Amino acid sequence: MTTILFVTILAFVSITLLIWSIKHLSAKFALRYHDTFTSSARTNLADMFLFIEPRQLFIINMVMLFSLPIIFRIFFGSWILGVVISIFLALIPRFAYKFLHKKRRRKFVHQLPDALNMIATSMQSGANVSSAIEFMAEEMESPMKQEFQLFLREQRLGVEFNKALDNMLVRIPEDEFQLVTAGMQISREVGGNLAEVLARLSDTLRRKIEMEGKIDALTSQGKMQGVVMTLLPIFIGVVLYHMEPESMGRILTEPMGWALMLLIAIMLTSGYLSIRKIVAIDV
């Protein structure tokens, strides 16, 4: 009787400690995830001049994370698949920020030749550098307009010309813009015809972008083949699931099926990345 009582007390204490530990760790993890998500969203969105409240994005993200397992349980009868997709969804914001940053930087680079040409033309007409940049910033579209307006605002607050350019280079770390920054800084320090330098840089960058466009056109078929070959097994799996739901449903409800889906995901991802690496040509 004493042994049974001791075992019961020990089991109660163990379960209580386990529940307390899980609750404490989950609350700590949730707080850390909230802080990381909001701080990352605030920094990345501000860098892209997107003034969205991070808390609203966090609430939307959490609703999607908790609703996906329920949706997959209702429509596919599997909790595990919904949980796995929710985990992947929690990692998506980091890659989404990188994708948006890269897209914005490439758009900035494609606007550079026209922007430099406008600055050079204004300077040849008698305007100084600041006035030429201000005129260009008013006429160009974002992100060129946003970045150079911030550049002019920093100068009005007392930041040196070279330092303001370096700050912009930190926000737009592209090789093409680094070339422009170096050319403008050297021309101001050493002396020379800055308008002519900017005109030559504009012509050089325009030719480089044109060559990159030709290469993208030639490699677009390979990129599309990579996308098609990656999505084809998924499409076939969905079709077979609708044709034979009982047989294919075992992939979503049995451990062997989960392992098979994980293996398929790894192989498809590896194949897609390999094709992207083959067709990626750096100019």
Side-chain angles (χ1 to χ4, degrees):
M1 188 68 180
T2 305
T3 305
I4 296 175
L5 181 62
F6 176 76
V7 171
T8 303
I9 295 174
L10 183 61
F12 176 77
V13 172
S14 301
I15 294 173
T16 303
L17 290 175
L18 179 62
I19 294 174
W20 181 85
S21 300
I22 293 174
K23 182 180 179 181
H24 179 72
L25 292 175
S26 60
K28 186 176 180 180
F29 174 78
L31 181 61
R32 183 176 179 182
Y33 180 74
H34 174 268
D35 295 338
T36 303
F37 185 93
T38 52
S39 61
S40 177
R42 185 178 294 106
T43 302
N44 286 282
L45 293 175
D47 289 342
M48 293 182 288
F49 292 81
L50 297 175
F51 303 102
I52 304 174
E53 180 60 37
R55 292 183 179 180
Q56 297 179 357
L57 292 179
F58 178 76
I59 293 174
I60 296 174
N61 183 63
M62 295 305 297
V63 170
M64 294 181 66
L65 290 180
F66 284 104
S67 61
L68 275 177
I70 300 175
I71 293 174
F72 274 85
R73 181 67 179 89
I74 294 175
F75 290 96
F76 298 100
S78 174
W79 287 100
I80 301 298
L81 184 59
V83 172
V84 171
I85 294 179
S86 296
I87 294 174
F88 280 109
L89 186 63
L91 301 175
I92 283 179
R94 177 181 302 178
F95 298 100
Y97 292 142
K98 291 182 179 179
F99 173 77
L100 293 176
H101 272 294
K102 183 178 180 180
K103 186 176 180 180
R104 185 174 183 272
R105 291 198 303 266
R106 294 314 302 172
K107 184 178 180 180
F108 180 89
V109 170
H110 283 77
Q111 291 176 329
L112 261 181
D114 294 333
L116 295 178
N117 193 37
M118 291 178 64
I119 296 174
T121 303
S122 298
M123 293 182 64
Q124 289 171 354
S125 300
N128 57 25
V129 180
S130 299
S131 300
I133 292 177
E134 185 175 1
F135 172 75
M136 180 274 298
E138 292 176 355
E139 296 297 326
M140 294 293 294
E141 298 180 354
S142 300
M144 182 68 64
K145 179 177 182 178
Q146 296 169 337
E147 293 294 340
F148 273 97
Q149 284 183 344
L150 180 57
F151 166 83
L152 294 171
R153 197 174 299 120
E154 288 181 350
Q155 279 199 296
R156 294 191 187 102
L157 294 176
V159 180
E160 296 182 355
F161 184 88
N162 291 347
K163 180 61 178 176
L165 277 179
D166 291 335
N167 293 338
M168 195 190 306
L169 183 59
V170 172
R171 298 191 300 269
I172 310 291
E174 295 289 333
D175 295 336
E176 294 86 352
F177 187 60
Q178 184 177 7
L179 180 64
V180 173
T181 302
M184 295 179 70
Q185 291 176 346
I186 293 173
S187 179
R188 282 178 62 87
E189 293 177 359
V190 177
N193 191 345
L194 181 56
E196 184 179 353
V197 172
L198 295 179
R200 291 181 179 178
L201 286 173
S202 174
D203 184 63
T204 302
L205 292 178
R206 185 172 284 107
R207 292 182 180 180
K208 184 177 184 296
I209 293 172
E210 183 180 355
M211 184 178 297
E212 289 178 347
K214 292 180 180 179
I215 293 175
D216 289 339
L218 293 174
T219 58
S220 60
Q221 182 179 358
K223 295 177 182 179
M224 184 56 64
Q225 287 178 349
V227 174
V228 172
M229 295 303 295
T230 302
L231 296 180
L232 184 60
I234 301 176
F235 174 75
I236 294 176
V238 173
V239 172
L240 291 177
Y241 178 81
H242 286 282
M243 293 177 61
E244 296 290 340
E246 295 182 0
S247 301
M248 292 297 294
R250 299 175 59 186
I251 297 179
L252 304 176
T253 56
E254 297 184 3
M256 185 63 70
W258 303 336
L260 180 61
M261 291 180 63
L262 179 60
L263 179 62
I264 292 173
I266 294 174
M267 294 180 67
L268 289 177
T269 304
S270 302
Y272 177 75
L273 294 178
S274 299
I275 294 175
R276 293 283 297 183
K277 187 69 175 178
I278 292 172
V279 299
I281 300 175
D282 191 14
V283 180

